[in-house]
Amino acid sequence: EGAPILAMTASFQRAERGFEHQDGLGPLARGLPAPEALPTLADRFAPHLAKVPPRLRQLYSAEANPLDLRPCEFVAPWDESVRAPRQAVWVRAKDPLPPGDEAVHQRLLTYFTDWALLGTALQPHPTAMWRRELQAASLSHSVTFHRPFRMDAWLCHVMRSPSASGGRGFALGEVWSEDGRLVASTSQEGLMRVRSTERDRPAG
């Protein structure tokens, strides 16, 4: 119907030498578990597939997803427990990727980092991503690439949410290589609105 569904701003730069620094510790240095010590996301979901809508089950099956996702802590999308606004997820492509095309790895990382950022902003609140009354949607998603990386090697997306207000949540992320290089930074603002229901209305 000709309706716009996406607006993107991109900037490009040729590789060049310059000042170098990074702040903070990599995932292993800060005490997060190594990816090999964690179950896959498919393993986490396997006992709960009856709770997953049929149209989404393929997304969470081991066979369908080309990425190996390993959350450091599994937060089920129906779990309304209150948690700190922080989480981390390891990721690696299941199959080797061809060498020499850095853009392929950047595109895959952009796709992956859209997953879980907004959920980080929901964690301090007694709600869940799959709550029927919750209206959640990405309003903006940005990725800044700092250093070369490969998606067929382990990367860890370390996320935190400094703020939620006015029906919107905001989250920041850092993407680290397993050997402690900061390869990208991310941010996302998203809609987090609970529709009014009989359960939510005050008595009287």
Side-chain angles (χ1 to χ4, degrees):
E1 298 178 355
I5 60 171
L6 172 70
M8 183 178 78
T9 301
S11 60
F12 303 90
Q13 178 191 13
R14 291 194 180 105
E16 63 178 83
R17 294 183 179 180
F19 298 112
E20 286 272 347
H21 82 273
Q22 65 178 42
D23 188 31
L25 298 173
L28 300 180
R30 67 179 73 188
L32 293 175
E36 292 84 358
L38 294 167
T40 67
L41 184 66
D43 291 337
R44 300 273 202 181
F45 267 98
H48 310 290
L49 282 181
K51 296 181 179 179
V52 179
R55 63 186 176 85
L56 296 178
R57 285 177 190 167
Q58 190 177 10
L59 292 174
Y60 296 101
S61 69
E63 296 79 16
N65 198 329
L67 299 179
D68 185 350
L69 306 176
R70 304 196 180 194
C72 290
E73 180 186 5
F74 178 57
V75 179
W78 54 83
D79 186 349
E80 297 189 5
S81 302
V82 172
R83 291 176 170 82
R86 294 183 293 274
Q87 62 176 328
V89 181
W90 289 94
V91 64
R92 181 176 66 177
K94 291 179 179 176
D95 298 316
L97 297 171
D101 192 350
E102 188 176 355
V104 169
H105 300 268
Q106 293 175 338
R107 292 169 190 153
L108 278 172
L109 186 67
T110 301
Y111 165 77
F112 160 69
T113 56
D114 193 46
W115 184 78
L117 261 175
L118 186 56
T120 308
L122 281 175
Q123 288 188 178
H125 309 283
T127 190
M129 185 62 77
W130 287 4
R131 179 180 172 184
R132 184 179 298 275
E133 299 86 7
L134 181 69
Q135 184 181 8
S138 175
L139 299 174
S140 66
H141 173 215
S142 71
V143 183
T144 300
F145 301 108
H146 304 306
R147 294 171 179 85
F149 61 91
R150 292 193 61 83
M151 281 297 294
D152 49 7
W154 285 115
L155 299 172
C156 189
H157 193 196
V158 180
M159 296 162 278
R160 65 184 182 90
S161 173
S163 178
S165 63
R168 293 170 291 117
F170 181 70
L172 298 167
E174 297 173 343
V175 183
W176 295 83
S177 65
E178 193 172 11
D179 61 0
R181 292 181 304 113
L182 181 63
V183 302
S185 297
T186 63
S187 69
Q188 187 167 47
E189 184 179 43
L191 185 68
M192 295 181 358
R193 178 183 295 151
V194 178
R195 298 183 182 94
S196 179
T197 66
E198 292 297 333
R199 188 184 74 176
D200 297 324
R201 291 172 186 154

